[in-house]
Amino acid sequence: MDIKALQTFVHLSQSLHFSKTALAMHVSPSTLSRLIQRLEEDLGASLLIRDNRSVLLTEAGIAFKQFALQQIEQWELLKHSISQGTNELEGEINLYCSVTAAYSHLPPILERFRRNHPNVDIKLTTGDSAVAIEQVMQHQVDFAITAYPDNFPARMHFSQLAEIPLSVIAPTTLCVVTKLIKQSPIDWKSIPFILPEHGAIRRRFDTWFRSLKIGKPHIYAKVAGHEALISMVALGCGVGVAPDVVIENSPVRDRVQSLSEVGQLASFNLGVCCHKTRLTEPLIEAFLNCVEE
């Protein structure tokens, strides 16, 4: 039983998917199966309930997951304490953010961090910002760049980067949607909407639409990720809501227009979040110092 095996089991306990964990941890599915079998043999108990369609943790698996998380944390603390005698930090930091944040807000942070700590490896995963906090809470990553949610977990730390305004956008190409938005007043009940599946921006849209007092919106599609949402709007599929920074950096920004006279949507704070319990770890502290510069 080694740290790599513990890290692999923790990932599997969170993904509950052998193929995803094998890919993420750079092992073959057969190697992953043998690793789990060895752990179960060492413990004398089944850790997982498996069939052709699902994977679930047993009670022993839940207990072992907590043990594995504690051992991994202690291992990282030990490595940091040993390396404190040197001038250079070493180790690895895992980050999660949207594609847009990866080139709009992350580069200057990484530039400062790489300049100060060149021996630290950085791994970046991009995806839907609506699940960013969940990625941190499940120990999939160390940090995430995300919007500050209405119900921010008490055990999480948030360092603000910027205040991001939102816009209601529509296509510029001649289509049914552009004809609908030219009506005065706009018949919002007839407008097809492209919306985020969930997250802070979806909640702001819901608040804005309720203020119109016209019932429920006509939802054409729900999309994971604002980049895809803007592309669907540009294709003439409907009207959407997106952060201005994503619109400005979109390759199809010339094919969408902001609707200015539709009421005010509340902006949101963008920042970096991590676990409060890790704030004293040297790598975590060093990265946050670069965020706050």
Side-chain angles (χ1 to χ4, degrees):
M1 191 180 302
D2 57 25
I3 292 298
K4 179 68 173 179
L6 296 178
Q7 291 170 332
T8 303
F9 176 80
V10 167
H11 190 286
L12 180 59
S13 72
Q14 294 165 342
S15 71
L16 298 177
H17 197 289
F18 270 73
S19 296
K20 289 181 179 178
T21 293
L23 180 63
M25 302 304 292
H26 308 292
V27 297
S28 66
S30 59
T31 299
L32 176 58
S33 293
R34 289 195 298 271
L35 183 150
I36 299 301
Q37 289 172 0
R38 286 198 299 272
L39 289 175
E40 291 177 330
E41 290 171 1
D42 290 344
L43 289 168
S46 296
L47 298 173
L48 303 169
I49 301 173
R50 286 164 275 184
D51 59 33
N52 293 331
R53 292 183 298 178
S54 63
V55 177
L56 297 173
L57 290 176
T58 63
E59 288 188 11
I62 294 172
F64 184 68
K65 176 184 177 181
Q66 295 304 314
F67 167 82
L69 287 170
Q70 292 170 1
Q71 296 304 308
I72 293 168
E73 183 177 0
Q74 290 300 314
W75 172 252
E76 293 298 329
L77 289 174
L78 175 62
K79 288 198 299 181
H80 292 321
S81 66
I82 292 174
S83 64
Q84 281 180 344
T86 67
N87 294 326
E88 298 289 346
L89 283 177
E90 297 182 352
E92 179 181 285
I93 280 182
N94 290 274
L95 304 168
Y96 181 94
C97 67
S98 67
V99 173
T100 298
Y103 51 76
S104 65
H105 289 84
L106 186 58
I109 299 172
L110 290 187
E111 183 179 357
R112 290 191 293 268
F113 187 79
R114 295 295 297 163
R115 184 172 62 247
N116 296 335
H117 311 288
N119 295 329
V120 177
D121 295 327
I122 298 171
K123 291 188 176 180
L124 174 64
T125 303
T126 58
D128 184 3
S129 60
V131 300
I133 292 178
E134 182 181 347
Q135 291 283 317
V136 178
M137 292 183 67
Q138 293 185 355
H139 299 277
Q140 300 276 20
V141 296
D142 302 307
F143 294 98
I145 296 179
T146 185
Y148 189 87
D150 297 329
N151 298 306
F152 190 66
R155 61 182 180 275
M156 300 290 286
H157 169 81
F158 187 87
S159 293
Q160 183 173 334
L161 290 172
E163 183 176 353
I164 306 296
L166 299 174
S167 293
V168 179
I169 56 173
T172 56
T173 184
L174 183 62
C175 61
V176 173
V177 176
T178 52
K179 292 180 180 179
L180 288 172
I181 63 172
K182 287 180 180 178
Q183 295 177 350
S184 182
I186 297 174
D187 181 11
W188 289 108
K189 292 189 70 173
S190 302
I191 299 290
F193 282 98
I194 316 296
L195 298 175
E197 291 181 312
H198 44 72
I201 294 176
R202 175 58 187 271
R203 289 190 292 274
R204 280 162 172 76
F205 168 83
D206 292 340
T207 299
W208 169 75
F209 199 85
R210 281 197 300 269
S211 72
L212 301 177
K213 298 180 181 180
I214 55 173
K216 295 183 179 180
H218 167 40
I219 300 176
Y220 178 85
K222 297 178 183 179
V223 181
H226 305 299
E227 294 83 5
L229 185 152
I230 295 171
S231 294
M232 290 193 68
V233 172
L235 289 170
C237 298
V239 169
V241 176
D244 285 4
V245 65
V246 183
I247 300 168
E248 293 161 3
N249 286 279
S250 172
V252 295
R253 60 184 177 275
D254 295 332
R255 295 169 61 186
V256 299
Q257 57 180 312
S258 295
L259 304 181
S260 56
E261 298 181 1
V262 296
Q264 186 69 34
L265 275 77
S267 60
F268 67 89
N269 292 323
L270 184 75
V272 176
C273 69
C274 67
H275 279 281
K276 282 183 178 178
T277 56
R278 303 189 61 193
L279 291 177
T280 58
E281 295 180 21
L283 280 177
I284 302 298
E285 184 179 11
F287 187 82
L288 286 177
N289 286 338
C290 292
V291 170
E292 296 165 359
E293 281 186 15

